[in-house]
Amino acid sequence: MTAPQGPLVVGFDLDMTLIDTVPGFTSVLTALGDELGVTFPVEAMTAVLGPPLDVVLGPYLPAADLASAGDRFRALYPDHAVASVPLLAGAAEALAAVRRHGGKVVVVTGKYEPNARLHLDHLGVEVDVLEGWVWGVGKAAALRREGASIYVGDHVHDVEGALAADALSVSVLTGGCSREELLAAGTHVVLDDLRDFPSWLDAHVA
């Protein structure tokens, strides 16, 4: 892939790319399960974070209950899932690398946007644009609108969004998808985690 033309704009996924959502998701699922009288297999569910909430909850609740359960999950989220969620290793340095090259940081996530904002504010992460509640190829519209030439994510559906936006897909292995799955989905670059991103970006824009 060639270096980007024009101003550098880099998009990032949020959950399991920039932040480790497992502790928060675990707490919310436990609280929701207590309210609903359902014992969710929390460990298994948090091992594959990435898909939309209705997909995650779908196997464990009647279809008619999914919408209300999702609403309740999002309502419980601020009190149960923000304080316990840290930045992933290398995330701050990755964002700083974009800034060092004069670039703009865009976060495009499937998470409910007000809750995504709570995470960024709690962790002191400043971004230029936050777009929430978009998934898979649905991320392409925001990436195109902002002129992103790179999209960084952890899931095969992040790869789909990057490719649909004609952006370079950079994948990290901090989520639930393997290197083989990400390569099969068409990603251009696989990094172990975001600690490798600054040196990769330096070489890419050189």
Side-chain angles (χ1 to χ4, degrees), residues 5-79:
Q5 302 299 311
L8 176 66
V9 180
V10 181
F12 290 87
D13 176 49
L14 184 62
D15 292 0
M16 306 313 298
T17 299
L18 290 175
I19 63 175
D20 180 359
T21 327
V22 171
F25 207 93
T26 297
S27 296
V28 181
L29 278 177
T30 301
L32 180 65
D34 289 345
E35 288 191 5
L36 298 179
V38 175
T39 302
F40 292 115
V42 173
E43 186 173 350
M45 295 169 78
T46 55
V48 291
L49 292 179
L53 187 59
D54 58 348
V55 174
V56 174
L57 296 176
Y60 311 105
L61 296 173
D65 295 341
L66 283 176
S68 60
D71 288 343
R72 186 59 186 148
F73 183 99
R74 287 181 282 272
L76 289 166
Y77 198 95
D79 290 334

Side-chain angles (χ1 to χ4, degrees), residues 110-187:
K111 186 179 291 299
Y112 180 54
E113 189 170 312
N115 288 340
R117 174 60 65 187
L118 290 175
H119 280 298
L120 296 178
D121 290 347
H122 175 73
L123 294 167
V125 175
E126 295 185 5
V127 303
D128 297 288
V129 176
L130 170 63
E131 180 90 8
W133 240 0
V134 286
W135 174 247
V137 297
K139 295 186 173 186
L143 294 171
R144 285 183 178 277
R145 183 187 69 233
E146 300 302 327
S149 60
I150 302 167
Y151 185 59
V152 186
D154 66 284
H155 200 279
V156 294
H157 293 301
D158 296 326
V159 179
E160 291 175 355
L163 299 181
D166 293 325
L168 187 147
S169 173
V170 176
S171 297
V172 288
L173 297 176
T174 44
C177 292
S178 68
R179 180 184 301 270
E180 293 72 23
E181 289 170 327
L182 293 162
L183 289 171
T187 196

